[in-house]
Amino acid sequence: MGLLKTLLTGPVTAPAKGFMWVAGKLAEKVEAEVFDPKKIQQEMEDLQLRFDLNQITEAELEEGETILLERLKAIRESRGR
């Protein structure tokens, strides 16, 4: 009965399962991007470079660093480090 049920309900359930798979992969990718300490360190370097090139003010540099350091702290806390 399981195979028959799968064959009969496949056209209805397959798109939903495919959508859930894609959504899961997207969530993994977003999590990897947001919670990657190396990415945050790169953003810190980019921020410093923009300051060195006089593209942002010292206040903007400090604000950006504060935000990035808070993200880094949250990552380390969530990983138990």
Side-chain angles (χ1 to χ4, degrees), residues 16-74:
K17 288 180 182 179
F19 175 78
M20 294 303 292
W21 180 82
V22 169
K25 290 297 180 183
L26 285 173
E28 289 174 11
K29 182 71 173 168
V30 167
E31 187 173 325
E33 287 284 325
V34 172
F35 296 110
D36 183 10
K38 291 178 185 175
K39 176 122 174 89
I40 293 174
Q41 291 170 347
Q42 180 63 46
E43 289 179 32
M44 292 272 278
E45 292 173 9
D46 293 344
L47 195 63
Q48 182 65 46
L49 179 62
R50 290 181 58 208
F51 175 72
D52 292 342
L53 295 173
N54 294 319
Q55 294 177 348
I56 60 173
T57 65
E58 187 172 350
E60 291 170 321
L61 172 68
E62 290 174 2
E63 181 181 347
E65 285 178 337
T66 300
I67 292 168
L68 291 171
L69 287 173
E70 287 174 1
R71 281 179 48 199
L72 193 56
K73 181 180 176 185

Side-chain angles (χ1 to χ4, degrees), residues 1-17:
M1 183 71 177
L3 179 60
L4 181 60
K5 181 179 179 182
T6 302
L7 289 173
L8 292 175
T9 61
V12 176
T13 59
K17 288 180 182 179

